[in-house]
Amino acid sequence: MFMLRSLQLPVQQSSPLVRFLSPTRYSRSFTTKTGQVDLVASDTQRRTIYALSTPPGKGGVAVIRISGPDVLLVWNSMVRTLKQKAPEPWKMERCHIVHPLNKSKPLDDGLAVYFKGPRSFTTEDIVELHLHSGRAIISSVLGALSQLPFCRPAEAGEFTRRAFLGGRLDLTQVEGLKDLINAETETQRRIAMVAAGGTVRAQYDDLRSGIIGCLANVEALIDFGEGEDIEEGVYDEARSRAQNLLARIQNHLQDHRRGEIIRSGVRLAIFGPPNAGKRTNLQAAQREAAIVTSVPGTTRDILELSLDIGGLPVIVSDTAGVRATDDLVESIGIDRARKAVQAADLSLCVLSLPDVLLHTPKGLCLHIPPALENLIKPDTLILFNKSDMASAEACKQALTLSGHTAWAVSLTTGQATPEFLTGFAEALQHRFNLNETELSGETPLITRERHRVHLESACRFLQAFLDTTPSDIVLAAEELRYAAQAVGKVSGLINVEDILDAVFKDFCIGK
């Protein structure tokens, strides 16, 4: 508990400042020739914080969280239970919430619970007030808390930051908790749960411990050298372990950004010639996102929407129809469409089956419009639309001739559309290794760009250690030390003050 001490200052009689006093923990004052001046307590003194931890507005229950050294004073000032005794930790109690300056009329009838530190989320003492969720009730209780001189409103993410500083969470768990709150699909929830639960932390700790083990061997050689105290082959063992660690980290880095893609969403670009049915494809996803007409070139820009497909977050970019045109505005849209396809994680080409399936003397053949040829890659998915205007045999031959993962549907009549959506979800899960068995066995270790940057740095230092000759053993030890620090920065074990603000700034106030 913070206490501001009195400070005696040897000053001249002519000085306006005679002395700096601290009559209580929660106020500051100093005396001048004209008398004593009281100052408002600083945020450093007011270590007890409070905030609404549930979404604002009307609802069943609102939770106000209070954390810090003076939460029991909050309890005594604002909580009125039937027994009127000290709270029993971790036990919910029925109570009246009252104003500390006017306790005759309750602000609300609710529940309160006291979490005794360090067995709490922040590792500090915590009180939670469970109220009826109405704007007036929430406002009145928050206003009452503001009247307590030892309390202040929490900053964004401050509760979680205190949990981190108290050792309850490391940075990967903090990020996992944030991702869990923001998860919109089942896959995002599963991966976030793994991170928030500490599994990712354990993997990073294992990597770091392995590097530190190599460093310990090298440091032993520097201090003692090989002889009676140190057995032979210690340096070779350190090199062997470092090679294994390097291979493990490189294997995680070669994941095609799977973790980042799942967390932020798969960017899917839908492209094709004008009037092929790209907009109707959006409507098949039950979103009215674009005008659908029979006029070629209806859309001249990129439309985006987010979808949950097979548990994966998919950000769909529906582009302008690609064709040769002299229209300046449409040309700009087509150029943007090309860039969107090139930047996407996955692309789906929508073609009108009657337009691309041609009858020749040698049989049926596919004719891909020249404007699309350089956009269709080996991993491009193809959707043949307007299958109701072709025979079943023609649809089957088109799928065979395409040489890609493809489907034939009629988005207008709905023919084979459910099969397409199911197959497309399976293709997404296969593309990013996210089927049920793989999810239960191994989740991505890297879910953010900063993880990747630090692990790439660790690889460079480990490789530098392996490239160092035994004669430069002191330099070799430094490379291992830097590698351990790089891995430690991911979970926040070493030198992370410069990234703390970036991690916590996007949290809501009550979290």
Side-chain angles (χ1 to χ4, degrees), residues 384-428:
F384 294 105
N385 189 22
K386 306 179 183 179
S387 62
D388 57 319
M389 300 173 64
S391 65
E393 182 62 27
C395 293
K396 185 176 180 180
Q397 288 214 28
L399 297 178
T400 303
L401 292 171
S402 70
H404 292 254
T405 300
W407 301 269
V409 303
S410 173
L411 295 172
T412 302
T413 65
Q415 175 185 326
T417 300
E419 291 81 358
F420 158 64
L421 293 175
T422 301
F424 183 69
E426 292 174 352
L428 280 176

Coordinates of all heavy atoms in Angstrom, one line a residue, residues 384-428:
F384 N -18.0 -23.0 -61.5 CA -18.7 -22.9 -62.7 C -20.2 -22.6 -62.4 O -20.9 -23.5 -61.8 CB -18.6 -24.2 -63.6 CG -17.2 -24.5 -64.1 CD1 -16.5 -25.5 -63.5 CD2 -16.7 -23.7 -65.1 CE1 -15.2 -25.7 -63.9 CE2 -15.4 -24.0 -65.6 CZ -14.7 -25.0 -65.0
N385 N -20.6 -21.4 -62.8 CA -22.0 -21.0 -62.5 C -22.9 -21.3 -63.7 O -22.4 -21.6 -64.8 CB -22.1 -19.5 -62.1 CG -23.4 -19.1 -61.6 OD1 -24.2 -19.9 -61.1 ND2 -23.7 -17.8 -61.7
K386 N -24.2 -21.3 -63.4 CA -25.2 -21.5 -64.5 C -25.2 -22.9 -65.0 O -25.4 -23.1 -66.2 CB -25.1 -20.5 -65.6 CG -25.0 -19.0 -65.2 CD -24.8 -18.0 -66.3 CE -24.7 -16.6 -65.8 NZ -24.5 -15.6 -66.9
S387 N -25.1 -23.8 -64.1 CA -25.1 -25.2 -64.5 C -26.5 -25.7 -65.0 O -26.6 -26.7 -65.6 CB -24.7 -26.1 -63.3 OG -25.6 -26.0 -62.2
D388 N -27.5 -24.9 -64.6 CA -28.9 -25.2 -65.1 C -29.0 -25.1 -66.6 O -30.0 -25.5 -67.2 CB -29.9 -24.4 -64.3 CG -29.6 -22.9 -64.5 OD1 -28.5 -22.5 -64.4 OD2 -30.6 -22.1 -64.6
M389 N -28.0 -24.4 -67.2 CA -28.1 -24.2 -68.6 C -27.2 -25.1 -69.4 O -26.9 -24.9 -70.6 CB -27.7 -22.7 -68.9 CG -28.6 -21.7 -68.3 SD -28.0 -20.0 -68.5 CE -28.1 -19.8 -70.2
A390 N -26.8 -26.2 -68.7 CA -25.9 -27.2 -69.3 C -26.4 -28.6 -68.8 O -27.0 -28.7 -67.8 CB -24.4 -27.0 -69.0
S391 N -26.0 -29.6 -69.6 CA -26.3 -30.9 -69.2 C -25.5 -31.4 -68.0 O -24.4 -30.9 -67.7 CB -26.2 -31.9 -70.4 OG -24.8 -32.0 -70.7
A392 N -25.9 -32.5 -67.3 CA -25.1 -33.0 -66.2 C -23.8 -33.6 -66.7 O -22.8 -33.4 -66.0 CB -25.9 -34.2 -65.6
E393 N -23.8 -34.2 -67.9 CA -22.5 -34.7 -68.5 C -21.6 -33.5 -68.8 O -20.4 -33.6 -68.6 CB -22.8 -35.5 -69.8 CG -21.6 -36.1 -70.4 CD -20.9 -37.1 -69.5 OE1 -21.5 -37.7 -68.6 OE2 -19.6 -37.2 -69.6
A394 N -22.1 -32.4 -69.3 CA -21.2 -31.2 -69.6 C -20.6 -30.7 -68.3 O -19.5 -30.3 -68.3 CB -22.0 -30.2 -70.3
C395 N -21.4 -30.6 -67.2 CA -20.9 -30.2 -65.9 C -19.8 -31.1 -65.4 O -18.7 -30.6 -65.0 CB -22.0 -30.1 -64.9 SG -23.3 -28.9 -65.2
K396 N -20.0 -32.4 -65.6 CA -19.0 -33.3 -65.1 C -17.7 -33.1 -65.9 O -16.6 -33.2 -65.4 CB -19.5 -34.7 -65.3 CG -18.6 -35.8 -64.7 CD -19.2 -37.2 -64.8 CE -18.3 -38.2 -64.2 NZ -19.0 -39.6 -64.3
Q397 N -17.8 -33.0 -67.3 CA -16.6 -32.8 -68.1 C -15.9 -31.5 -67.8 O -14.7 -31.4 -67.8 CB -17.0 -32.8 -69.6 CG -17.4 -34.2 -70.0 CD -16.9 -34.4 -71.5 OE1 -16.0 -33.8 -72.0 NE2 -17.7 -35.3 -72.2
A398 N -16.6 -30.4 -67.5 CA -16.0 -29.1 -67.1 C -15.2 -29.3 -65.9 O -14.1 -28.7 -65.8 CB -17.1 -28.1 -66.9
L399 N -15.7 -30.0 -64.9 CA -14.9 -30.2 -63.6 C -13.6 -31.0 -63.9 O -12.6 -30.7 -63.3 CB -15.7 -30.9 -62.6 CG -17.0 -30.2 -62.1 CD1 -17.8 -31.1 -61.1 CD2 -16.7 -28.9 -61.5
T400 N -13.7 -31.9 -64.8 CA -12.5 -32.7 -65.2 C -11.5 -31.9 -66.0 O -10.3 -31.9 -65.7 CB -12.9 -34.0 -66.0 OG1 -13.9 -34.7 -65.2 CG2 -11.7 -34.8 -66.3
L401 N -12.0 -31.1 -66.9 CA -11.1 -30.3 -67.8 C -10.4 -29.2 -67.0 O -9.4 -28.7 -67.4 CB -11.9 -29.8 -69.0 CG -12.4 -30.8 -70.0 CD1 -13.4 -30.1 -71.0 CD2 -11.2 -31.4 -70.7
S402 N -11.0 -28.7 -65.9 CA -10.5 -27.5 -65.3 C -9.1 -27.8 -64.7 O -8.2 -26.9 -64.6 CB -11.4 -27.1 -64.2 OG -11.5 -28.0 -63.1
G403 N -8.9 -29.0 -64.1 CA -7.6 -29.3 -63.5 C -7.4 -28.7 -62.1 O -6.4 -28.7 -61.6
H404 N -8.5 -28.1 -61.6 CA -8.5 -27.4 -60.3 C -9.5 -28.0 -59.4 O -10.4 -28.8 -59.8 CB -8.8 -25.9 -60.5 CG -7.7 -25.2 -61.2 ND1 -6.8 -24.3 -60.6 CD2 -7.3 -25.1 -62.5 CE1 -6.0 -23.8 -61.4 NE2 -6.3 -24.3 -62.6
T405 N -9.5 -27.6 -58.1 CA -10.6 -27.9 -57.2 C -11.8 -27.1 -57.7 O -11.7 -25.8 -57.7 CB -10.3 -27.6 -55.8 OG1 -9.2 -28.4 -55.4 CG2 -11.5 -27.9 -54.9
A406 N -12.9 -27.7 -58.2 CA -13.9 -26.9 -58.8 C -15.3 -27.5 -58.5 O -15.4 -28.6 -58.1 CB -13.7 -26.9 -60.3
W407 N -16.3 -26.7 -58.7 CA -17.7 -27.0 -58.5 C -18.5 -26.5 -59.6 O -18.2 -25.4 -60.2 CB -18.2 -26.5 -57.1 CG -17.4 -26.9 -55.9 CD1 -17.7 -28.0 -55.2 CD2 -16.3 -26.3 -55.4 NE1 -16.8 -28.1 -54.1 CE2 -15.9 -27.0 -54.2 CE3 -15.6 -25.1 -55.7 CZ2 -14.8 -26.7 -53.5 CZ3 -14.5 -24.8 -54.9 CH2 -14.1 -25.6 -53.8
A408 N -19.6 -27.1 -59.9 CA -20.6 -26.6 -60.9 C -21.9 -26.5 -60.2 O -22.5 -27.4 -59.6 CB -20.7 -27.6 -62.1
V409 N -22.4 -25.2 -60.2 CA -23.7 -24.9 -59.5 C -24.5 -24.0 -60.3 O -24.1 -23.4 -61.4 CB -23.3 -24.2 -58.2 CG1 -22.5 -25.1 -57.3 CG2 -22.7 -22.8 -58.4
S410 N -25.7 -23.8 -59.9 CA -26.6 -22.7 -60.4 C -26.9 -21.8 -59.2 O -27.8 -22.2 -58.4 CB -27.8 -23.3 -61.1 OG -28.7 -22.2 -61.4
L411 N -26.3 -20.7 -59.1 CA -26.5 -19.8 -58.0 C -27.9 -19.2 -58.1 O -28.5 -18.7 -57.1 CB -25.5 -18.7 -57.9 CG -24.0 -19.2 -57.6 CD1 -23.0 -18.1 -57.8 CD2 -23.9 -19.9 -56.3
T412 N -28.5 -19.2 -59.2 CA -29.8 -18.6 -59.4 C -30.9 -19.5 -58.9 O -31.8 -19.1 -58.1 CB -30.1 -18.3 -60.9 OG1 -29.1 -17.3 -61.3 CG2 -31.5 -17.6 -61.0
T413 N -30.8 -20.8 -59.3 CA -31.8 -21.8 -58.8 C -31.5 -22.5 -57.5 O -32.3 -23.1 -56.9 CB -32.0 -22.9 -59.9 OG1 -30.8 -23.6 -60.0 CG2 -32.4 -22.2 -61.2
G414 N -30.2 -22.4 -57.1 CA -29.7 -23.0 -55.9 C -29.3 -24.5 -56.1 O -28.9 -25.2 -55.2
Q415 N -29.2 -24.9 -57.4 CA -28.8 -26.2 -57.7 C -27.3 -26.5 -57.3 O -26.4 -25.7 -57.7 CB -29.0 -26.5 -59.2 CG -28.5 -27.8 -59.7 CD -28.5 -28.0 -61.2 OE1 -29.5 -27.4 -61.8 NE2 -27.6 -28.6 -61.8
A416 N -27.1 -27.5 -56.4 CA -25.8 -27.9 -56.0 C -25.1 -26.8 -55.1 O -23.9 -26.9 -54.8 CB -24.9 -28.3 -57.1
T417 N -25.8 -25.7 -54.7 CA -25.2 -24.7 -53.9 C -24.8 -25.2 -52.5 O -23.7 -24.9 -52.1 CB -26.1 -23.5 -53.8 OG1 -26.4 -22.9 -55.1 CG2 -25.5 -22.4 -52.9
P418 N -25.6 -26.0 -51.8 CA -25.2 -26.5 -50.5 C -24.0 -27.3 -50.6 O -23.1 -27.2 -49.7 CB -26.4 -27.3 -50.0 CG -27.6 -26.7 -50.8 CD -27.0 -26.3 -52.1
E419 N -23.9 -28.1 -51.7 CA -22.7 -29.0 -51.8 C -21.4 -28.1 -52.1 O -20.3 -28.4 -51.6 CB -22.8 -29.9 -53.0 CG -23.9 -31.0 -52.8 CD -25.3 -30.6 -53.0 OE1 -25.5 -29.4 -53.3 OE2 -26.2 -31.4 -52.9
F420 N -21.6 -27.0 -52.8 CA -20.5 -26.1 -53.0 C -20.0 -25.5 -51.7 O -18.8 -25.4 -51.4 CB -20.9 -25.0 -54.0 CG -20.0 -23.8 -53.9 CD1 -18.7 -23.8 -54.2 CD2 -20.6 -22.6 -53.5 CE1 -17.9 -22.7 -54.1 CE2 -19.8 -21.4 -53.4 CZ -18.5 -21.5 -53.7
L421 N -20.9 -25.0 -50.9 CA -20.6 -24.3 -49.6 C -19.9 -25.3 -48.7 O -18.9 -25.0 -48.0 CB -21.8 -23.7 -49.0 CG -22.5 -22.6 -49.7 CD1 -23.7 -22.1 -49.0 CD2 -21.5 -21.4 -49.8
T422 N -20.4 -26.6 -48.7 CA -19.7 -27.6 -47.8 C -18.3 -27.9 -48.3 O -17.4 -28.0 -47.6 CB -20.6 -28.9 -47.8 OG1 -21.9 -28.5 -47.2 CG2 -19.9 -29.9 -46.9
G423 N -18.2 -28.1 -49.7 CA -16.9 -28.4 -50.3 C -15.9 -27.3 -50.1 O -14.7 -27.5 -49.9
F424 N -16.4 -26.1 -50.2 CA -15.6 -24.9 -50.1 C -15.0 -24.8 -48.7 O -13.8 -24.5 -48.5 CB -16.3 -23.6 -50.5 CG -15.5 -22.4 -50.5 CD1 -14.5 -22.2 -51.4 CD2 -15.7 -21.4 -49.5 CE1 -13.7 -21.1 -51.4 CE2 -14.9 -20.3 -49.5 CZ -13.9 -20.1 -50.4
A425 N -15.9 -25.1 -47.7 CA -15.4 -25.0 -46.3 C -14.3 -26.1 -46.1 O -13.3 -25.9 -45.4 CB -16.6 -25.3 -45.4
E426 N -14.5 -27.3 -46.6 CA -13.5 -28.4 -46.5 C -12.2 -28.0 -47.2 O -11.2 -28.3 -46.7 CB -14.1 -29.7 -47.1 CG -15.3 -30.2 -46.3 CD -15.9 -31.4 -46.9 OE1 -15.5 -31.7 -48.1 OE2 -16.8 -32.1 -46.3
A427 N -12.3 -27.4 -48.4 CA -11.1 -26.9 -49.1 C -10.4 -25.9 -48.3 O -9.1 -25.9 -48.2 CB -11.5 -26.4 -50.4
L428 N -11.1 -25.0 -47.6 CA -10.4 -24.0 -46.7 C -9.7 -24.7 -45.6 O -8.5 -24.4 -45.3 CB -11.4 -23.0 -46.2 CG -11.9 -21.9 -47.1 CD1 -13.0 -21.1 -46.4 CD2 -10.7 -21.0 -47.4

